[in-house]
Amino acid sequence: MIVLIALCEALYSVTVGYLKFLALIPGITELRPGACLPIVFSVFFGPVAAWGSAFGNLVGDMMGGTIGPGSFFGLPGNFFYGYIPYRILRAVNANSSDLIGKKKLAVYIFLVIVASVVCATIISPGVTYIGIPFDLVEHAIILNNTLMSFLFASFLIRNLEKGV
């Protein structure tokens, strides 16, 4: 479990850290293609994804030079972003192969949206303390997480499932 957490954290932090130049709100959020990784990790590794995502976001902020008060709200926000898909899949007795076909597409859409909204709802109040409007941050995070997950996570899940 510790090795999987470290691998998830390393992949997420490198992906997030090196793409900081795609800023939506400088120092707060950026266009993150890596936002799909907590969903993918959650589908394949379960709760390990939550810890890997939480620490990966923190290390990614350090690597990108944007560590600040928002990073400390990003820790629990990204924890739940990686944990919620796992819990939803467990609740409906689904696994990664179920998400490939059209049969469980509604489950996939639901878990991405719920995870993104919860992540944004945890992070947004924290960054309001540093003067960034709540609505702006919340909408940016929701849009970024859902868009990147819809674009890339389904592709990764489908192709990794074939190789597993």
PDB file of all heavy atoms in Angstrom, residues 6 11 13 27 29 37-38 46 51-52 58 61 65 71-72 83 88 90 108 117 119 127-128 130 138-139 145:
ATOM      1  N   ALA A   6       3.003   6.013  -2.786  1.00  0.00           N
ATOM      2  CA  ALA A   6       4.163   6.768  -3.275  1.00  0.00           C
ATOM      3  C   ALA A   6       4.147   6.887  -4.795  1.00  0.00           C
ATOM      4  O   ALA A   6       4.475   7.955  -5.341  1.00  0.00           O
ATOM      5  CB  ALA A   6       5.455   6.104  -2.801  1.00  0.00           C
ATOM      6  N   LEU A  11       3.472  10.295  -9.532  1.00  0.00           N
ATOM      7  CA  LEU A  11       2.897  10.565 -10.856  1.00  0.00           C
ATOM      8  C   LEU A  11       2.043  11.831 -10.846  1.00  0.00           C
ATOM      9  O   LEU A  11       2.124  12.660 -11.758  1.00  0.00           O
ATOM     10  CB  LEU A  11       2.055   9.381 -11.333  1.00  0.00           C
ATOM     11  CG  LEU A  11       2.825   8.169 -11.817  1.00  0.00           C
ATOM     12  CD1 LEU A  11       1.887   6.995 -12.039  1.00  0.00           C
ATOM     13  CD2 LEU A  11       3.566   8.494 -13.107  1.00  0.00           C
ATOM     14  N   SER A  13       2.151  14.398  -8.612  1.00  0.00           N
ATOM     15  CA  SER A  13       2.919  15.616  -8.332  1.00  0.00           C
ATOM     16  C   SER A  13       3.748  16.044  -9.533  1.00  0.00           C
ATOM     17  O   SER A  13       3.840  17.241  -9.828  1.00  0.00           O
ATOM     18  CB  SER A  13       3.804  15.431  -7.100  1.00  0.00           C
ATOM     19  OG  SER A  13       4.777  14.440  -7.313  1.00  0.00           O
ATOM     20  N   GLY A  27      -1.384  30.951  -9.043  1.00  0.00           N
ATOM     21  CA  GLY A  27      -1.134  30.616  -7.646  1.00  0.00           C
ATOM     22  C   GLY A  27      -2.250  29.835  -6.985  1.00  0.00           C
ATOM     23  O   GLY A  27      -2.101  29.353  -5.881  1.00  0.00           O
ATOM     24  N   THR A  29      -5.175  27.871  -9.122  1.00  0.00           N
ATOM     25  CA  THR A  29      -5.510  26.705  -9.938  1.00  0.00           C
ATOM     26  C   THR A  29      -5.036  26.923 -11.363  1.00  0.00           C
ATOM     27  O   THR A  29      -4.887  28.048 -11.814  1.00  0.00           O
ATOM     28  CB  THR A  29      -7.015  26.376  -9.888  1.00  0.00           C
ATOM     29  OG1 THR A  29      -7.231  25.112 -10.510  1.00  0.00           O
ATOM     30  CG2 THR A  29      -7.851  27.435 -10.568  1.00  0.00           C
ATOM     31  N   LEU A  37      -5.846  11.961 -13.110  1.00  0.00           N
ATOM     32  CA  LEU A  37      -5.139  10.861 -12.445  1.00  0.00           C
ATOM     33  C   LEU A  37      -5.781  10.386 -11.141  1.00  0.00           C
ATOM     34  O   LEU A  37      -5.841   9.175 -10.910  1.00  0.00           O
ATOM     35  CB  LEU A  37      -3.672  11.228 -12.234  1.00  0.00           C
ATOM     36  CG  LEU A  37      -2.855  11.359 -13.526  1.00  0.00           C
ATOM     37  CD1 LEU A  37      -1.433  11.799 -13.211  1.00  0.00           C
ATOM     38  CD2 LEU A  37      -2.860  10.074 -14.315  1.00  0.00           C
ATOM     39  N   PRO A  38      -6.274  11.266 -10.249  1.00  0.00           N
ATOM     40  CA  PRO A  38      -6.928  10.739  -9.050  1.00  0.00           C
ATOM     41  C   PRO A  38      -8.136   9.839  -9.375  1.00  0.00           C
ATOM     42  O   PRO A  38      -8.370   8.856  -8.673  1.00  0.00           O
ATOM     43  CB  PRO A  38      -7.361  11.997  -8.294  1.00  0.00           C
ATOM     44  CG  PRO A  38      -6.356  13.013  -8.696  1.00  0.00           C
ATOM     45  CD  PRO A  38      -6.074  12.721 -10.149  1.00  0.00           C
ATOM     46  N   GLY A  46      -8.215   2.025  -5.448  1.00  0.00           N
ATOM     47  CA  GLY A  46      -9.068   2.278  -4.301  1.00  0.00           C
ATOM     48  C   GLY A  46      -8.587   3.414  -3.421  1.00  0.00           C
ATOM     49  O   GLY A  46      -8.143   4.441  -3.918  1.00  0.00           O
ATOM     50  N   TRP A  51      -4.769   9.109  -0.710  1.00  0.00           N
ATOM     51  CA  TRP A  51      -3.523   9.581  -0.097  1.00  0.00           C
ATOM     52  C   TRP A  51      -2.525  10.041  -1.159  1.00  0.00           C
ATOM     53  O   TRP A  51      -1.853  11.057  -0.990  1.00  0.00           O
ATOM     54  CB  TRP A  51      -2.917   8.486   0.781  1.00  0.00           C
ATOM     55  CG  TRP A  51      -3.771   8.210   1.964  1.00  0.00           C
ATOM     56  CD1 TRP A  51      -4.566   7.126   2.162  1.00  0.00           C
ATOM     57  CD2 TRP A  51      -3.964   9.061   3.089  1.00  0.00           C
ATOM     58  NE1 TRP A  51      -5.240   7.244   3.350  1.00  0.00           N
ATOM     59  CE2 TRP A  51      -4.876   8.416   3.940  1.00  0.00           C
ATOM     60  CE3 TRP A  51      -3.455  10.299   3.457  1.00  0.00           C
ATOM     61  CZ2 TRP A  51      -5.285   8.972   5.145  1.00  0.00           C
ATOM     62  CZ3 TRP A  51      -3.866  10.855   4.664  1.00  0.00           C
ATOM     63  CH2 TRP A  51      -4.765  10.185   5.491  1.00  0.00           C
ATOM     64  N   GLY A  52      -2.415   9.311  -2.251  1.00  0.00           N
ATOM     65  CA  GLY A  52      -1.515   9.708  -3.329  1.00  0.00           C
ATOM     66  C   GLY A  52      -1.903  11.041  -3.930  1.00  0.00           C
ATOM     67  O   GLY A  52      -1.043  11.871  -4.243  1.00  0.00           O
ATOM     68  N   LEU A  58       0.111  18.459  -2.876  1.00  0.00           N
ATOM     69  CA  LEU A  58       0.973  19.276  -2.025  1.00  0.00           C
ATOM     70  C   LEU A  58       2.395  19.360  -2.602  1.00  0.00           C
ATOM     71  O   LEU A  58       2.969  20.447  -2.711  1.00  0.00           O
ATOM     72  CB  LEU A  58       1.006  18.699  -0.605  1.00  0.00           C
ATOM     73  CG  LEU A  58       1.699  19.536   0.449  1.00  0.00           C
ATOM     74  CD1 LEU A  58       0.987  20.876   0.630  1.00  0.00           C
ATOM     75  CD2 LEU A  58       1.744  18.773   1.764  1.00  0.00           C
ATOM     76  N   ASP A  61       2.433  21.472  -5.736  1.00  0.00           N
ATOM     77  CA  ASP A  61       2.461  22.898  -5.421  1.00  0.00           C
ATOM     78  C   ASP A  61       3.871  23.348  -5.042  1.00  0.00           C
ATOM     79  O   ASP A  61       4.309  24.428  -5.428  1.00  0.00           O
ATOM     80  CB  ASP A  61       1.491  23.228  -4.281  1.00  0.00           C
ATOM     81  CG  ASP A  61       0.048  23.252  -4.732  1.00  0.00           C
ATOM     82  OD1 ASP A  61      -0.207  23.141  -5.954  1.00  0.00           O
ATOM     83  OD2 ASP A  61      -0.838  23.380  -3.869  1.00  0.00           O
ATOM     84  N   GLY A  65       6.211  25.974  -7.215  1.00  0.00           N
ATOM     85  CA  GLY A  65       6.464  27.240  -6.525  1.00  0.00           C
ATOM     86  C   GLY A  65       5.213  27.984  -6.115  1.00  0.00           C
ATOM     87  O   GLY A  65       5.242  29.182  -5.877  1.00  0.00           O
ATOM     88  N   SER A  71      -2.783  25.609  -0.583  1.00  0.00           N
ATOM     89  CA  SER A  71      -2.238  24.246  -0.644  1.00  0.00           C
ATOM     90  C   SER A  71      -2.718  23.400   0.523  1.00  0.00           C
ATOM     91  O   SER A  71      -2.901  22.196   0.397  1.00  0.00           O
ATOM     92  CB  SER A  71      -0.714  24.283  -0.645  1.00  0.00           C
ATOM     93  OG  SER A  71      -0.242  25.006  -1.742  1.00  0.00           O
ATOM     94  N   PHE A  72      -2.914  24.038   1.675  1.00  0.00           N
ATOM     95  CA  PHE A  72      -3.335  23.287   2.844  1.00  0.00           C
ATOM     96  C   PHE A  72      -4.812  22.896   2.776  1.00  0.00           C
ATOM     97  O   PHE A  72      -5.224  21.932   3.404  1.00  0.00           O
ATOM     98  CB  PHE A  72      -2.990  24.059   4.111  1.00  0.00           C
ATOM     99  CG  PHE A  72      -1.506  24.232   4.245  1.00  0.00           C
ATOM    100  CD1 PHE A  72      -0.915  25.456   3.981  1.00  0.00           C
ATOM    101  CD2 PHE A  72      -0.694  23.167   4.565  1.00  0.00           C
ATOM    102  CE1 PHE A  72       0.457  25.613   4.059  1.00  0.00           C
ATOM    103  CE2 PHE A  72       0.677  23.302   4.637  1.00  0.00           C
ATOM    104  CZ  PHE A  72       1.248  24.530   4.386  1.00  0.00           C
ATOM    105  N   TYR A  83     -10.784   9.786  -3.198  1.00  0.00           N
ATOM    106  CA  TYR A  83     -11.495   8.784  -2.395  1.00  0.00           C
ATOM    107  C   TYR A  83     -12.940   8.567  -2.844  1.00  0.00           C
ATOM    108  O   TYR A  83     -13.434   7.440  -2.845  1.00  0.00           O
ATOM    109  CB  TYR A  83     -11.472   9.217  -0.925  1.00  0.00           C
ATOM    110  CG  TYR A  83     -12.049   8.190   0.017  1.00  0.00           C
ATOM    111  CD1 TYR A  83     -11.390   7.001   0.252  1.00  0.00           C
ATOM    112  CD2 TYR A  83     -13.259   8.414   0.658  1.00  0.00           C
ATOM    113  CE1 TYR A  83     -11.913   6.055   1.119  1.00  0.00           C
ATOM    114  CE2 TYR A  83     -13.789   7.477   1.530  1.00  0.00           C
ATOM    115  CZ  TYR A  83     -13.115   6.294   1.753  1.00  0.00           C
ATOM    116  OH  TYR A  83     -13.635   5.359   2.598  1.00  0.00           O
ATOM    117  N   ILE A  88     -17.988   5.444  -4.476  1.00  0.00           N
ATOM    118  CA  ILE A  88     -19.150   5.318  -5.369  1.00  0.00           C
ATOM    119  C   ILE A  88     -19.107   3.974  -6.088  1.00  0.00           C
ATOM    120  O   ILE A  88     -20.130   3.285  -6.194  1.00  0.00           O
ATOM    121  CB  ILE A  88     -19.220   6.497  -6.353  1.00  0.00           C
ATOM    122  CG1 ILE A  88     -19.566   7.781  -5.593  1.00  0.00           C
ATOM    123  CG2 ILE A  88     -20.239   6.226  -7.466  1.00  0.00           C
ATOM    124  CD1 ILE A  88     -19.483   9.044  -6.424  1.00  0.00           C
ATOM    125  N   ARG A  90     -17.719   1.242  -5.063  1.00  0.00           N
ATOM    126  CA  ARG A  90     -18.049   0.205  -4.083  1.00  0.00           C
ATOM    127  C   ARG A  90     -19.547   0.167  -3.807  1.00  0.00           C
ATOM    128  O   ARG A  90     -20.135  -0.894  -3.640  1.00  0.00           O
ATOM    129  CB  ARG A  90     -17.316   0.458  -2.761  1.00  0.00           C
ATOM    130  CG  ARG A  90     -15.843   0.272  -2.778  1.00  0.00           C
ATOM    131  CD  ARG A  90     -15.325  -1.071  -2.330  1.00  0.00           C
ATOM    132  NE  ARG A  90     -16.042  -1.775  -1.307  1.00  0.00           N
ATOM    133  CZ  ARG A  90     -15.613  -2.005  -0.085  1.00  0.00           C
ATOM    134  NH1 ARG A  90     -14.456  -1.527   0.306  1.00  0.00           N
ATOM    135  NH2 ARG A  90     -16.320  -2.705   0.758  1.00  0.00           N
ATOM    136  N   TYR A 108     -19.954   6.533 -14.148  1.00  0.00           N
ATOM    137  CA  TYR A 108     -18.698   7.251 -14.362  1.00  0.00           C
ATOM    138  C   TYR A 108     -18.933   8.764 -14.342  1.00  0.00           C
ATOM    139  O   TYR A 108     -18.209   9.499 -13.671  1.00  0.00           O
ATOM    140  CB  TYR A 108     -18.060   6.824 -15.686  1.00  0.00           C
ATOM    141  CG  TYR A 108     -16.827   7.610 -16.023  1.00  0.00           C
ATOM    142  CD1 TYR A 108     -15.653   7.410 -15.313  1.00  0.00           C
ATOM    143  CD2 TYR A 108     -16.838   8.556 -17.028  1.00  0.00           C
ATOM    144  CE1 TYR A 108     -14.519   8.147 -15.597  1.00  0.00           C
ATOM    145  CE2 TYR A 108     -15.707   9.291 -17.326  1.00  0.00           C
ATOM    146  CZ  TYR A 108     -14.552   9.082 -16.608  1.00  0.00           C
ATOM    147  OH  TYR A 108     -13.441   9.814 -16.893  1.00  0.00           O
ATOM    148  N   VAL A 117     -16.987  18.289  -7.496  1.00  0.00           N
ATOM    149  CA  VAL A 117     -17.723  19.265  -6.686  1.00  0.00           C
ATOM    150  C   VAL A 117     -17.251  19.234  -5.235  1.00  0.00           C
ATOM    151  O   VAL A 117     -17.046  20.287  -4.618  1.00  0.00           O
ATOM    152  CB  VAL A 117     -19.251  19.027  -6.795  1.00  0.00           C
ATOM    153  CG1 VAL A 117     -20.014  19.819  -5.750  1.00  0.00           C
ATOM    154  CG2 VAL A 117     -19.740  19.367  -8.194  1.00  0.00           C
ATOM    155  N   CYS A 119     -14.302  18.251  -4.109  1.00  0.00           N
ATOM    156  CA  CYS A 119     -12.951  18.809  -4.099  1.00  0.00           C
ATOM    157  C   CYS A 119     -13.007  20.339  -4.108  1.00  0.00           C
ATOM    158  O   CYS A 119     -12.360  21.003  -3.295  1.00  0.00           O
ATOM    159  CB  CYS A 119     -12.171  18.295  -5.301  1.00  0.00           C
ATOM    160  SG  CYS A 119     -10.510  18.959  -5.466  1.00  0.00           S
ATOM    161  N   VAL A 127      -9.418  29.308   0.130  1.00  0.00           N
ATOM    162  CA  VAL A 127      -8.748  30.367  -0.622  1.00  0.00           C
ATOM    163  C   VAL A 127      -9.486  31.696  -0.522  1.00  0.00           C
ATOM    164  O   VAL A 127      -8.919  32.725  -0.865  1.00  0.00           O
ATOM    165  CB  VAL A 127      -8.494  29.972  -2.095  1.00  0.00           C
ATOM    166  CG1 VAL A 127      -7.540  28.797  -2.168  1.00  0.00           C
ATOM    167  CG2 VAL A 127      -9.770  29.688  -2.825  1.00  0.00           C
ATOM    168  N   THR A 128     -10.714  31.697  -0.028  1.00  0.00           N
ATOM    169  CA  THR A 128     -11.393  32.984   0.185  1.00  0.00           C
ATOM    170  C   THR A 128     -10.703  33.782   1.283  1.00  0.00           C
ATOM    171  O   THR A 128     -10.770  35.004   1.276  1.00  0.00           O
ATOM    172  CB  THR A 128     -12.891  32.804   0.527  1.00  0.00           C
ATOM    173  OG1 THR A 128     -13.019  32.001   1.683  1.00  0.00           O
ATOM    174  CG2 THR A 128     -13.648  32.211  -0.632  1.00  0.00           C
ATOM    175  N   ILE A 130      -7.632  34.214   1.537  1.00  0.00           N
ATOM    176  CA  ILE A 130      -6.512  34.962   0.959  1.00  0.00           C
ATOM    177  C   ILE A 130      -6.985  35.936  -0.118  1.00  0.00           C
ATOM    178  O   ILE A 130      -6.187  36.481  -0.855  1.00  0.00           O
ATOM    179  CB  ILE A 130      -5.408  34.022   0.418  1.00  0.00           C
ATOM    180  CG1 ILE A 130      -5.946  33.076  -0.650  1.00  0.00           C
ATOM    181  CG2 ILE A 130      -4.762  33.271   1.550  1.00  0.00           C
ATOM    182  CD1 ILE A 130      -4.880  32.231  -1.304  1.00  0.00           C
ATOM    183  N   GLU A 138     -14.294  27.966  -7.059  1.00  0.00           N
ATOM    184  CA  GLU A 138     -15.106  26.755  -7.088  1.00  0.00           C
ATOM    185  C   GLU A 138     -15.451  26.353  -8.515  1.00  0.00           C
ATOM    186  O   GLU A 138     -15.291  25.202  -8.906  1.00  0.00           O
ATOM    187  CB  GLU A 138     -16.376  26.929  -6.265  1.00  0.00           C
ATOM    188  CG  GLU A 138     -17.179  25.638  -6.194  1.00  0.00           C
ATOM    189  CD  GLU A 138     -18.320  25.718  -5.210  1.00  0.00           C
ATOM    190  OE1 GLU A 138     -19.027  26.740  -5.191  1.00  0.00           O
ATOM    191  OE2 GLU A 138     -18.500  24.738  -4.471  1.00  0.00           O
ATOM    192  N   HIS A 139     -15.888  27.300  -9.313  1.00  0.00           N
ATOM    193  CA  HIS A 139     -16.249  26.985 -10.696  1.00  0.00           C
ATOM    194  C   HIS A 139     -15.039  26.583 -11.526  1.00  0.00           C
ATOM    195  O   HIS A 139     -15.130  25.686 -12.365  1.00  0.00           O
ATOM    196  CB  HIS A 139     -16.992  28.156 -11.340  1.00  0.00           C
ATOM    197  CG  HIS A 139     -18.349  28.368 -10.749  1.00  0.00           C
ATOM    198  ND1 HIS A 139     -18.675  29.512 -10.058  1.00  0.00           N
ATOM    199  CD2 HIS A 139     -19.440  27.573 -10.710  1.00  0.00           C
ATOM    200  CE1 HIS A 139     -19.924  29.414  -9.635  1.00  0.00           C
ATOM    201  NE2 HIS A 139     -20.409  28.241 -10.011  1.00  0.00           N
ATOM    202  N   ASN A 145     -11.552  19.933 -13.244  1.00  0.00           N
ATOM    203  CA  ASN A 145     -11.533  18.521 -12.859  1.00  0.00           C
ATOM    204  C   ASN A 145     -12.472  17.678 -13.715  1.00  0.00           C
ATOM    205  O   ASN A 145     -12.106  16.592 -14.151  1.00  0.00           O
ATOM    206  CB  ASN A 145     -11.866  18.360 -11.382  1.00  0.00           C
ATOM    207  CG  ASN A 145     -10.734  18.784 -10.479  1.00  0.00           C
ATOM    208  OD1 ASN A 145      -9.657  19.162 -10.932  1.00  0.00           O
ATOM    209  ND2 ASN A 145     -10.979  18.746  -9.185  1.00  0.00           N
TER     210      ASN A 145
END
